[in-house]
Each structure stands twice: as C-alpha cells, then as structure tokens.
Amino acid sequence: MQQLAAQSEIDFTSQTYKDAYSRINAIVIEGEQQAHENYLKLAELLPEHKDELVGLSKMESRHKKGFEACGRNLQVTPDTEFAQQFFAELHQNFQQAAAEGKVVSCLLIQSLIIECFAIAAYHRYIPVADPFARKITEGVVKDEYTHLNFGEVWLKEHFLEAKAELEQANRQNLPIVWKMLNKVEQDAETLGMEKEALVEDFMIQYSEALSNIGFSNREIVRLSVYGLKAA
Ligand code: PL3
Ligand code: FE2
Ligand code: FE2
C-alpha cells in the first residue's frame, strides 16, 4: 500500500526525474558492462570454470541492453562520463588484482561487493520503477543471485587459503562502496529510493554472503566495520 502510494507521486516525465535518471541509468549500464568484462577476466583466471563464467558474462551483456532500453523508454540520455568516474576506484582495484592473478580479490569485488550492491539497488528500485523498467529489473535481479552464488560457492570451497586475502580485499574495497552510495544518494532519492534502505539491504546481502562462505558472526561484524568508518 505504502509503495503504491509512493509510486503514484513519481512523475517519470518530469525534468527532475529524467535528470537523476540520466546518472543512475548510466551507472547501471556501466556497472553491467564492467561486470561483463570482469567475468570474462575471471574466466581467464579460472579456466576450469570457463564455460560457466563466460555464461555469466553473457547475462551481464543482456542486463546492459535491458537497462539501455529503460533509458530510451524514458527518453533519457545516460551520462556515461559520470558513470565511469563513479566506478573508477573499484574498477581499478579489480584490474590491479586481476593483473596480479589475485582471484580471491577479484571475486570479492565483482561477485560479492558489486553483486550485493546491484541486488540491494534493484530490489529497492522495483517498487518505484516505471512499469517498463520494473519488468526488466525483475528479470535482472534473479540473475544477480546466480552471480553472487558463484562467488560464494568458490570462496567457500577455498575458504582457508582465501581468508587472509578476503580480509585484506574487504578492507580495501568496502569503504569505496559507501563513498559510491554517498555520490548517488540524491539521485536515488529522486527516483524514490532511500539511502538507509539501500545500506540496509546491502549489509544484509553482504553479511549473508560472508556467512555462507564460512566467516563467523564475530568476524562478519569486524569486516563490516571497515565500511562504517567512511560512511
Ligand atoms: C552486476 O551484475 C551489476 C552491476 C551494477 C551495479 C549497480 C549499482 C547501482 C547503484 C545505484 C543505486 C541506485 C539504484 C538504481 C537502480 C536502477
Ligand atoms: Fe548484471
Ligand atoms: Fe551480475
């Protein structure tokens, strides 16, 4: 009921909405494009999972096309430059880790952090989206759970060897997520999404993932603190 009420107040054709959408839509398109590239890189790093990872990478291309259609549907031109800057730090850390053959760090960045961020954002966007975008996003978010699951399963199987690198990569990358959220806070609000709700959903997904991989509750709390310092 509350969601329906909130949604009816949103004017998808207003200049304010379209202006915010030009940045959020670009972020999502860029995020899907980078996810596509990141899974191809992971396929190189994990040849024994090549087919599965190439499959995930193809799903990301489809997501990108879906969100491009959402922008066109609202007659919005995505602000690509803004989106590239938005992802720059995380993107650079992924590239660097890949260059050093650090699979664990790559999986933490893409399959845990980025996928949890996407799941939180898409989940919060669905109830306030225009009908066209809602349908697309509902299809996409189901796939994102598969991507998160790939990371969880692999990291769980390699937990003991991966643990120290996971902690280090978490410490390096989690604070970046909060900086990114701060950068979209205003625009997300224009689209009907609250920052607190996004943070809450992200933390729920991320801590559940850490728990599935093998971290104890105490360790999860300690890992999460690195985020809060920058928030
Ligand atoms: C990987 O499959 C997807 C990577 C995309 C990451 C998107 C993060 C979006 C954060 C922006 C918050 C507003 C949400 C708007 C949703 C359309
Ligand atoms: Fe995706
Ligand atoms: Fe994904």
Side-chain angles (χ1 to χ4, degrees):
M1 267 320 263
Q2 223 175 2
Q3 278 171 354
L4 278 178
Q7 195 199 334
S8 62
E9 289 159 23
I10 296 175
D11 178 1
F12 303 114
T13 63
S14 76
Q15 236 5 81
T16 316
Y17 190 90
K18 285 167 77 170
D19 176 57
Y21 205 82
S22 71
R23 286 179 292 277
I24 300 271
N25 184 233
I27 284 171
V28 171
I29 292 167
E30 179 67 21
E32 298 292 356
Q33 171 63 32
Q34 290 189 11
H36 164 78
E37 292 164 23
N38 291 351
Y39 283 113
L40 283 182
K41 187 40 100 180
L42 279 160
E44 272 174 45
L45 295 170
L46 293 170
E48 65 277 29
H49 294 286
K50 182 167 178 229
D51 292 348
E52 195 179 352
L53 286 161
V54 169
L56 300 190
S57 148
K58 284 188 182 143
M59 289 158 102
E60 303 294 19
S61 304
R62 280 200 297 277
H63 297 171
K64 179 187 172 193
K65 291 201 180 82
F67 288 122
E68 283 171 341
C70 294
R72 277 198 302 273
N73 179 55
L74 294 179
Q75 289 167 315
V76 166
T77 308
D79 186 341
T80 311
E81 207 182 305
F82 178 84
Q84 282 170 353
Q85 276 171 19
F86 179 81
F87 276 107
E89 228 180 320
L90 217 46
H91 185 56
Q92 202 193 323
N93 287 353
F94 182 94
Q95 305 261 55
Q96 169 116 26
E100 291 170 17
K102 289 173 138 181
V103 180
V104 171
S105 301
C106 289
L107 282 173
L108 179 116
I109 294 171
Q110 176 58 48
S111 294
L112 301 191
I113 288 190
I114 296 180
E115 300 294 356
C116 286
F117 197 19
I119 289 169
Y122 298 165
H123 179 223
R124 288 290 165 178
Y125 176 56
I126 287 167
V128 293
D130 67 86
F132 181 85
R134 185 182 315 149
K135 252 212 174 81
I136 302 248
T137 311
E138 279 167 350
V140 168
V141 78
K142 284 196 199 106
D143 290 346
E144 308 302 8
Y145 284 105
T146 317
H147 304 172
L148 171 59
N149 188 257
F150 178 88
E152 285 176 355
V153 170
W154 195 93
L155 291 166
K156 185 190 166 117
E157 279 168 9
H158 300 81
F159 185 59
L160 284 183
E161 320 89 90
K163 203 172 172 190
E165 189 179 327
L166 278 173
E167 283 172 6
Q168 189 271 326
N170 171 80
R171 188 180 197 140
Q172 184 188 21
N173 292 289
L174 196 57
I176 299 173
V177 174
W178 307 122
K179 281 198 256 168
M180 290 165 83
L181 259 173
N182 289 338
K183 280 192 227 162
V184 280
E185 182 178 0
Q186 286 295 322
D187 290 331
E189 207 174 303
T190 303
L191 268 53
M193 292 174 282
E194 297 274 347
K195 182 189 172 194
E196 280 69 31
L198 289 167
V199 172
E200 188 181 312
D201 276 18
F202 174 83
M203 273 328 294
I204 291 169
Q205 289 299 329
Y206 191 60
S207 25
E208 200 178 300
L210 294 174
S211 164
N212 291 340
I213 290 167
F215 284 104
S216 71
N217 285 342
R218 181 178 287 269
E219 288 167 332
I220 292 169
V221 171
R222 190 163 45 80
L223 289 169
S224 309
V225 164
Y226 292 117
L228 295 175
K229 278 184 190 158

